[in-house]
Amino acid sequence: MSLKKIALIAALTLATQAHAQTQLATAGAMVIVPAYGEVTHPNDQVVATFFIEEQDKDKAAAASRVNQKMKQGTEIVRREDPKAILKTVGYYTYPIYPEVAPRPDGQPQPRPLVPTGWRVGQYLEVKTTNLAHLPRMTAAVQKILALNGLNFGLSPDTTRKLDAQRLIATYKNLNERVAAIASAMGRTLAEAVVDTVDFEGSGNYAGQQDAAPQFMRAAKAESVEVAEPSFEPGETTLQMRLVGKVKFR
């Protein structure tokens, strides 16, 4: 063997020994590992908000029409979807004042004390899992009431069923991360022992918070035929996060 080859082998040996000497000791090390898991499922529940608004110089007349039309709309919902859960989420009465032009000097005019009319409205929240019948029910209700918003999500039963899947997915992610950390530390997964698992929370539920109804003006709902609307329920992703404390023997 030539002197050149002997010198090369000696250099490689010294480099390997130097690397081994600089490798951190990991015996007894405690590692904090965050893990994440999620499951996705088609939405199977919807919260629809219907409303009616009337304007009149006579407050009682406006309120009477609102009450009558809301009663009719509620009856339609119950007839079309008997299992739907109904909830009144708002009733308002606002005075209407005439518009006042500013004075020639640009200063605002004081508002008249006596209103010229009244705005009266009411909101109805409808929660249902009968998505197949939703377009027909909505079109029927829209003959009387206006549709203010739709919020698709997961029913409580579905959410509970998916909880176990989220746990399994999150814990699987913890194992995968610990395996990668062990490999980076020059250890094996068999040398790692889980000391603590802290489930910090269940993540974000998009699109499930209840928004306050918007008091918006609307055209009067006329009792005419309304074409069925098209809806795409979409899907919801449920997330979970945990933090594990892993100790290497």
Side-chain angles (χ1 to χ4, degrees):
M1 182 179 296
S2 66
L3 292 176
K4 189 174 182 179
K5 288 184 178 180
I6 294 174
L8 179 59
I9 293 173
L12 292 173
T13 302
L14 290 174
T16 302
Q17 291 176 349
H19 177 73
Q21 291 173 356
T22 58
Q23 183 73 26
L24 295 173
T26 57
M30 179 72 74
V31 182
I32 309 299
V33 185
Y36 308 88
E38 64 180 34
V39 292
T40 300
H41 192 278
N43 290 324
D44 62 349
Q45 177 179 279
V46 65
V47 177
T49 304
F50 297 94
F51 78 109
I52 183 67
E53 181 182 279
E54 291 288 338
Q55 296 186 18
D56 201 287
K57 294 181 179 180
D58 186 346
K59 180 170 60 175
S64 179
R65 292 200 300 271
V66 166
N67 297 344
Q68 181 181 15
K69 291 184 178 182
M70 181 56 69
K71 181 180 180 181
Q72 294 173 351
T74 301
E75 290 173 350
I76 293 174
V77 173
R78 288 177 173 155
R79 183 178 67 246
E80 295 290 335
D81 192 349
K83 294 184 179 181
I85 300 174
L86 279 61
K87 178 182 177 182
T88 298
V89 292
Y91 194 110
Y92 60 91
T93 302
Y94 292 145
I96 301 175
Y97 295 96
E99 295 184 2
V100 179
R103 298 186 310 189
D105 59 2
Q107 296 299 320
Q109 294 271 24
R111 189 180 68 178
L113 298 178
V114 179
T116 57
W118 295 88
R119 291 172 53 203
V120 181
Q122 184 175 355
Y123 286 77
L124 176 67
E125 180 184 277
V126 179
K127 183 183 297 183
T128 180
T129 56
N130 190 358
L131 301 189
H133 193 61
L134 179 63
R136 176 178 170 180
M137 184 269 287
T138 301
V141 177
Q142 284 180 308
K143 297 176 184 178
I144 306 296
L145 308 178
L147 178 64
N148 185 56
L150 289 172
N151 186 10
F152 290 96
L154 299 176
S155 65
D157 288 342
T158 300
T159 301
R160 284 192 292 269
K161 292 175 182 178
L162 294 175
D163 191 53
Q165 297 180 29
R166 283 190 297 162
L167 286 167
I168 293 172
T170 307
Y171 201 80
K172 179 181 178 183
N173 183 249
L174 175 65
N175 277 271
E176 293 171 347
R177 286 178 165 237
V178 172
I181 292 172
S183 176
M185 296 172 62
R187 306 295 294 272
T188 64
L189 186 61
E191 297 175 281
V193 178
V194 176
D195 179 84
T196 304
V197 177
D198 178 16
F199 288 87
E200 293 187 332
S202 55
N204 299 320
Y205 286 68
Q208 295 229 347
Q209 62 277 10
D210 292 332
Q214 299 177 2
F215 295 145
M216 52 189 294
R217 297 186 60 181
K220 295 181 179 180
E222 302 294 342
S223 181
V224 296
E225 291 298 322
V226 178
E228 292 186 7
S230 299
F231 300 122
E232 296 295 335
E235 58 187 21
T236 294
T237 298
L238 303 180
Q239 300 174 334
M240 179 171 285
R241 181 177 187 270
L242 67 80
V243 174
K245 293 184 179 179
V246 180
K247 189 172 183 178
F248 285 92
R249 293 192 291 265

